[in-house]
Amino acid sequence: MWNALTVDVEEHFHVSNFSRVIREEDWASLESRVEWNSLKLLDLLDEAGARGTFFVLGWVAKRHPALVREIHRRGNEVACHGYSHKLISRQTPEEFLKDVRRAKAILEDIIGEAVIGYRAPSFSLTSRAPWALEILAGLGFVYDSSLSPIHDHRYDAPNGARFIHRIAVNGSGLWEVPLSSVRVLGMNLPIAGGGYFRLYPYAVTRWGLRRLDQEAQPAVVYIHPWEVDPEQPRVPAPLLSRFRHYVNLHRTEGRLRHLLQEFSFAPVREILGLRDPSSVDATYQDCMEAA
């Protein structure tokens, strides 16, 4: 079973946990570490013979176009994370359209091919912004990977579909690629990565991915470049925000190595059967049958 390893390419100071203490206008003056950390992730994938999908923030792409080209050159998928890392709930439809269109254009200009995947900053594509999917479809995206069907104060889809599915939009549709979870005691337990990957013992992640394999479903996991950087600058944020961001950073790289050794990973577009970015005819079921 092929799984999807996804990377949200952003700086350590872009995270929503720090939005109350770090202003957007100050970003350019802060130490950039995203290029070095992303190259470390690329090397780890290369060592394991794995490839992934990199959801690149437009703000990062504009300042580090060589990094975007390197992600693409090594056979990984370049996808869109928006431009400014602003939560969708804090944007009007017009602002969202402008933000995502700008980021998509920057990425496509750098790699010279269509960008077909999108992920919202902090997975903020929720029922409070039903218009967002229509805008994504109108911009030419083929899939979204912004939903996490778990109980969490940031998300509102605990009963949402756990596996890859189609959403009807504008007379056609988008693939929705939710972050992975497993059913435990009638609830969805997140095992998709990020803070959960750092908080849980690695054995929990392994167990969760094996459960998904038994269900014949690909896992969709995610990580950020700053999560393999335990030496990053510390931000004087509230205690809970600091805990969420810094817990077990020193363990992430080792756990990721184990993950890459034990499971097989490919870009999202290949999991969906869209090996050619210009083709949207293949189906997820076709891909599953081929696997």
Side-chain angles (χ1 to χ4, degrees), residues 42 45-46 50-54 68-78 113 265-267 269-270:
L42 288 171
L45 266 65
D46 286 350
R51 290 169 299 122
T53 293
F54 287 68
V68 180
R69 284 190 288 269
E70 184 66 7
I71 291 169
H72 184 255
R73 186 189 70 80
R74 297 202 197 188
N76 300 283
E77 178 184 10
V78 172
E113 68 179 41
F265 291 95
R269 74 177 181 211
E270 294 188 13

Side-chain angles (χ1 to χ4, degrees), residues 29-235:
S29 66
L30 300 176
E31 179 185 1
S32 174
R33 301 173 71 89
V34 69
E35 187 166 15
W36 183 81
N37 292 327
S38 297
L39 290 173
K40 181 189 290 189
L41 288 177
L42 288 171
D43 289 343
L44 289 173
L45 266 65
D46 286 350
E47 290 172 12
R51 290 169 299 122
T53 293
F54 287 68
F55 292 94
V56 185
L57 196 69
W59 191 94
V60 170
K62 183 178 180 181
R63 289 159 177 78
H64 301 280
L67 172 61
V68 180
R69 284 190 288 269
E70 184 66 7
I71 291 169
H72 184 255
R73 186 189 70 80
R74 297 202 197 188
N76 300 283
E77 178 184 10
V78 172
C80 181
H81 199 34
Y83 185 86
S84 64
H85 208 267
K86 183 179 293 185
L87 302 183
I88 295 179
S89 59
R90 297 179 183 175
Q91 300 181 70
T92 66
E94 293 75 20
E95 290 170 337
F96 177 71
L97 171 62
K98 182 178 179 181
D99 179 277
V100 179
R101 183 168 55 195
R102 180 184 185 189
K104 191 174 192 289
I106 290 171
L107 294 170
E108 291 178 340
D109 183 61
I110 292 172
I111 66 173
E113 68 179 41
V115 169
I116 64 172
Y118 173 80
R119 174 171 289 162
S122 300
F123 308 102
S124 57
L125 199 163
T126 70
S127 62
R128 292 186 292 275
W131 39 263
L133 288 173
E134 295 182 3
I135 289 174
L136 294 177
L139 288 172
F141 287 99
V142 176
Y143 73 86
D144 170 71
S145 184
S146 302
L147 300 186
S148 184
I150 64 171
H151 286 281
D152 188 286
H153 73 285
R154 292 168 295 183
Y155 319 133
D156 67 348
N159 299 313
R162 292 173 51 222
F163 304 131
I164 298 172
H165 58 283
R166 290 282 278 181
I167 299 177
V169 182
N170 290 347
S172 57
L174 284 171
W175 288 108
E176 181 55 50
V177 185
L179 298 181
S180 288
S181 61
V182 294
R183 293 290 288 177
V184 177
L185 300 176
M187 297 178 60
N188 296 338
L189 177 71
I191 46 90
Y196 299 107
F197 185 59
R198 291 181 282 116
L199 183 62
Y200 298 156
Y202 175 71
V204 174
T205 300
R206 181 198 293 121
W207 165 80
L209 267 64
R210 288 179 176 170
R211 276 278 300 271
L212 291 171
D213 186 59
Q214 292 170 3
E215 296 180 79
Q217 294 291 338
V220 180
V221 300
Y222 76 101
I223 195 169
H224 303 85
W226 53 261
E227 291 186 280
V228 292
D229 183 11
E231 304 304 319
Q232 64 189 267
R234 264 34 183 185
V235 174

